[in-house]
Amino acid sequence: MGEAEELFRRLERDASAGGYILNPNREDTMTLVEGLLTNIKRYGYPSCPCRIADGRRELDLDIICPCDYRDADLSDYGACYCALYVTRDWIEGRIERRVVLERRPPRERRVGLAGAGSGRSAAKGELGGELSTTPITPASGGKAGEEVYASGAADMPSRLKGGYPVWRCRVCGYLCARERPPQVCPICRATADRFERFI
């Protein structure tokens, strides 16, 4: 099995586990997968193949695939910026296929934001309670971001009696209360440095 096919299968498996859908156009999707592979070799991480990366992970965290903007794009357009991830409505033509506008802030603003999140150095082994493990994803008709986990956040105070900080996955909005963010988001598979301190 080639590298591209292996990465495609992993993306497909992770997408399915999280309730997301990869673009069923195999040719287009494999072109994007090849782009991700190129960026992994070039930068050491899978930055978005449709955007220009800085080449510094701390400045490119928001565009490491899946990017921070995926869920909002899925909600508004039915597809992410690259159309690697799409919704059922987009596939079946129930929504108009439009150009996805760029949500990424200008570089000067991103440089100021780099390091603003505090989920940069996760450690293994800490335990804590998770606020929500049953996401409602855009693919299943839900809303993106924090609203996805609104039910978990609603009774948050009662769940914070243990005094743990709450970490938010910047990609899918998953929340968990523990000393440090998880190594890998259990929903979207984003790495620990994609988490930010929420509370």
Side-chain angles (χ1 to χ4, degrees):
M1 184 189 309
E3 288 181 308
E5 182 65 26
E6 188 174 343
L7 178 56
F8 168 76
R9 292 190 182 189
R10 182 164 63 80
L11 290 171
E12 189 175 49
R13 183 176 61 248
D14 290 347
S16 178
Y20 294 90
I21 305 171
L22 290 187
N23 190 328
N25 184 314
R26 175 84 175 183
E27 183 178 348
D28 289 351
T29 297
M30 290 310 293
T31 298
L32 293 169
V33 170
E34 293 281 359
L36 288 171
L37 272 178
T38 296
N39 286 343
I40 290 172
K41 292 173 182 173
R42 181 181 293 156
Y43 305 122
Y45 49 85
S47 65
C48 174
C50 299
R51 294 177 167 108
I52 297 174
D54 254 278
R56 292 169 53 193
R57 185 180 175 93
E58 67 273 20
L59 294 180
D60 291 333
L61 281 175
D62 61 324
I63 60 166
I64 292 177
C65 188
C67 72
D68 289 4
Y69 317 106
R70 176 187 63 176
D71 283 17
D73 287 342
L74 288 174
S75 291
D76 291 348
Y77 299 97
C80 72
Y81 190 68
C82 296
L84 176 61
Y85 293 91
V86 297
T87 64
R88 185 67 59 194
D89 285 345
W90 187 90
I91 293 171
E92 297 177 356
R94 290 196 291 268
I95 58 173
E96 180 187 359
R97 295 189 179 186
R98 297 178 291 150
V99 173
V100 178
L101 300 180
E102 176 62 287
R103 296 177 191 270
R104 195 179 198 208
R107 186 179 187 280
E108 56 272 18
R109 186 168 163 217
R110 296 198 310 272
V111 170
L113 292 173
S118 48
R120 299 284 189 267
S121 56
K124 295 180 179 178
E126 284 82 8
L127 299 175
E130 296 181 348
L131 296 179
S132 175
T133 58
T134 309
I136 303 169
T137 66
S140 64
K143 295 182 179 180
E146 298 91 304
E147 292 178 9
V148 170
Y149 298 100
S151 61
D155 59 345
M156 192 175 291
S158 66
R159 294 172 183 246
L160 294 178
K161 291 179 180 177
Y164 291 108
V166 176
W167 301 94
R168 174 185 177 273
C169 175
R170 294 168 52 187
V171 177
C172 71
Y174 170 79
L175 298 173
C176 62
R178 50 194 292 165
E179 286 296 332
R180 297 181 185 278
Q183 291 291 304
V184 176
C185 175
I187 304 302
C188 70
R189 316 304 295 169
T191 53
D193 57 0
R194 310 293 299 282
F195 277 75
E196 62 185 358
R197 179 77 177 262
F198 186 66
I199 294 178

